[in-house]
Amino acid sequence: MHFVDRTFTTARIGVIIMALAGSELICIGQNIRARRKLRQLTQDELSKSIGVSSNYVSMIENGKEQPSLPLFFKICHVLETTPNDLASFDLVDKT
C-alpha cells in the first residue's frame, strides 16, 4: 500500500498558488467560497477582514484572480482553516 502525504509545506503552497491557472484557480476559489459560507461570512465581511474589496473577493472565488501568498494566508486565518484545506483539489461542498 502506498501512502500519499497530502500535506503541503508553506513553500509548496506558495508554488501551487503562484502556478494556478484555469480549473485549479476555480477550484481554490470554490473552496474559499464554501469555507466562507460555512463560517457564515459575506464577501463584504471577508474583504474587510483581509483588506481588499468585496469585488476582489468575488473575483478570487470565481477563479478570475489569484491571491498573493500573503493574502492567501490572511484568508486562511480569517476562515479558520489551513492552506492545505483551501489548496485541496478535492472540492468542498460547492454551495
Side-chain angles (χ1 to χ4, degrees):
M1 177 176 227
H2 186 264
F3 175 74
V4 177
D5 183 7
R6 297 188 53 93
T7 60
F8 300 122
T9 63
T10 300
R12 179 150 164 93
I13 292 290
V15 169
I16 290 169
I17 293 298
M18 301 321 279
L20 290 176
S23 62
E24 295 139 345
L25 197 54
I26 291 169
C27 183
I28 289 192
Q30 289 174 336
N31 289 343
I32 290 170
R33 175 183 291 120
R35 186 64 185 184
R36 175 181 59 77
K37 288 184 175 186
L38 184 67
R39 300 276 307 128
Q40 299 180 333
L41 293 172
T42 65
Q43 286 181 340
D44 191 52
E45 290 167 330
L46 176 59
S47 71
K48 287 177 181 171
S49 296
I50 62 174
V52 299
S53 71
S54 57
N55 185 48
Y56 192 68
V57 169
S58 175
M59 291 169 64
I60 291 170
E61 289 184 353
N62 288 305
K64 297 181 194 269
E65 283 291 335
Q66 133 182 358
S68 66
L69 190 56
L71 182 60
F72 183 72
F73 284 118
K74 283 183 184 179
I75 292 169
C76 291
H77 177 75
V78 171
L79 297 180
E80 297 179 0
T81 192
T82 66
N84 290 334
D85 287 341
L86 292 185
S88 170
F89 297 119
D90 298 326
L91 287 180
V92 185
D93 185 352
K94 292 183 187 180
T95 58

